[in-house]
Amino acid sequence: MQRRTMEAMSSSASSSNPPASFATTHWSIVLEAGQGKDADGAIALAELCRKYWLPLYAYVRRRVPDANEAQDLTQEFFARLLEKELLAQAAPERGRFRSFLLTAMQNFLTNEWRKAHASKRGGGQRTLSLDFTAGDSKLNFEPGHDWTAERIFERNWCITLLDHVLTQLRDEFTASGKAELFTALRPFISSNRQEGSFAALAEQLNMTEGAVKVAAHRLRKRYRELLRAELAQTVADPADVDDEIAWLFSALA
């Protein structure tokens, strides 16, 4: 589904106009939090960590056999990130936000976790409320072949990002009283739909076939906009969005 969803936006992605939120990046959140000038920066950073914790946890689970230890290490990593111990490594000019997070985690596991006793982890530090049970249930669907920890991180990063985009799109439809329409049209985010599907759906929704086609077109267009906006938040330069889309294709292959 993720691959087909990406294909639905690839042909016209470069022509989509990004929403107003395009200017706010994950990098700016990290850098502002690192300066420690106001509480809003710390709150925004915590929300960002909650948004993208699962790919990093998937990486740790691949490297650390014991699930409890992996959970402890993931919590400790984010505790140190929130306490700004790891923010000194943040440098937008070095590349993608996802690369910063992965490198920070790799350095943490290599240099820090062997020095810490489990009883000291999280003591007196800010912690995130992470649903490891739900996270593990998602990771149970990982492919059985021998992927590296880095490959698993990349795949989960893509899936997490696409899930956030679909959630934003669903919330927009719901807010405008069109939740049922979104549910019906969601499969049409993929470009690989048969023409006959429009006629059947038109009858189901009590709409004309032409109206369904227009609605599906608008859904795909809005999806492209939201996807580009989300990707723009993870790069230092908006000009890199197209390269990031190409990376998503390869990571989901």
Side-chain angles (χ1 to χ4, degrees):
M1 174 61 184
Q2 284 83 10
R3 180 60 185 265
R4 293 197 300 273
T5 298
M6 290 294 296
E7 290 171 349
M9 50 71 61
S10 62
S11 61
S12 57
S14 60
S15 63
S16 299
N17 294 322
S21 61
F22 196 84
T24 302
T25 71
H26 297 343
W27 279 120
S28 65
I29 291 174
V30 168
L31 295 178
E32 288 175 8
Q35 294 173 359
K37 294 182 178 180
D38 56 64
D40 290 341
I43 293 173
L45 179 61
E47 288 302 315
L48 187 57
C49 291
R50 290 189 184 93
K51 188 175 183 179
Y52 281 112
W53 73 272
L54 185 59
L56 286 167
Y57 176 54
Y59 173 82
V60 178
R61 280 298 309 270
R62 188 64 167 181
R63 289 192 57 181
V64 180
D66 182 81
N68 291 329
E69 181 74 1
Q71 292 173 12
D72 284 346
L73 290 167
T74 302
Q75 283 281 18
E76 175 70 7
F77 172 81
F78 283 111
R80 296 194 182 189
L81 192 68
L82 292 175
E83 293 300 324
K84 307 179 182 63
E85 289 186 34
L86 303 178
L87 295 186
Q89 304 173 31
E93 65 273 11
R94 294 180 184 174
R96 309 296 193 256
F97 178 71
R98 57 178 165 80
S99 299
F100 155 66
L101 284 180
L102 179 58
T103 299
M105 176 61 85
Q106 290 170 332
N107 291 339
F108 168 74
L109 292 180
T110 300
N111 301 322
E112 302 293 339
W113 72 284
R114 292 190 182 95
K115 304 175 185 178
H117 295 290
S119 61
K120 295 183 180 179
R121 290 190 181 118
Q125 294 177 309
R126 299 178 59 193
T127 59
L128 290 178
S129 177
L130 303 178
D131 190 347
F132 287 109
T133 300
D136 283 330
S137 68
K138 293 180 180 179
L139 298 183
N140 285 338
F141 293 98
E142 292 296 339
H145 49 73
D146 191 23
W147 279 5
T148 65
E150 289 76 12
R151 181 72 179 88
I152 289 175
F153 167 82
E154 291 174 350
R155 179 176 183 271
N156 279 279
W157 180 273
C158 295
I159 293 173
T160 298
L161 187 145
L162 292 176
D163 282 347
H164 285 307
V165 171
L166 284 174
T167 297
Q168 291 179 62
L169 189 58
R170 181 200 65 201
D171 290 346
E172 288 186 0
F173 271 70
T174 300
S176 61
K178 299 178 181 178
E180 181 181 0
L181 181 62
F182 171 78
T183 300
L185 292 178
R186 177 173 173 173
F188 288 82
I189 292 177
S190 166
S191 60
N192 302 321
R193 306 296 298 178
Q194 299 297 322
E195 282 293 317
S197 301
F198 288 108
L201 188 58
E203 183 176 355
Q204 173 188 331
L205 296 173
N206 196 26
M207 299 169 60
T208 66
E209 185 173 348
V212 171
K213 289 181 179 180
V214 169
H217 171 75
R218 290 174 176 170
L219 177 78
R220 288 192 292 266
K221 181 175 183 294
R222 184 56 182 156
Y223 176 84
R224 291 193 296 268
E225 292 173 348
L226 291 173
L227 178 58
R228 291 185 66 82
E230 184 68 24
L231 289 172
Q233 294 179 44
T234 70
V235 296
D237 186 345
D240 293 331
V241 171
D242 289 323
D243 288 341
E244 198 69 352
I245 289 173
W247 176 83
L248 277 171
F249 269 116
S250 63
L252 289 172

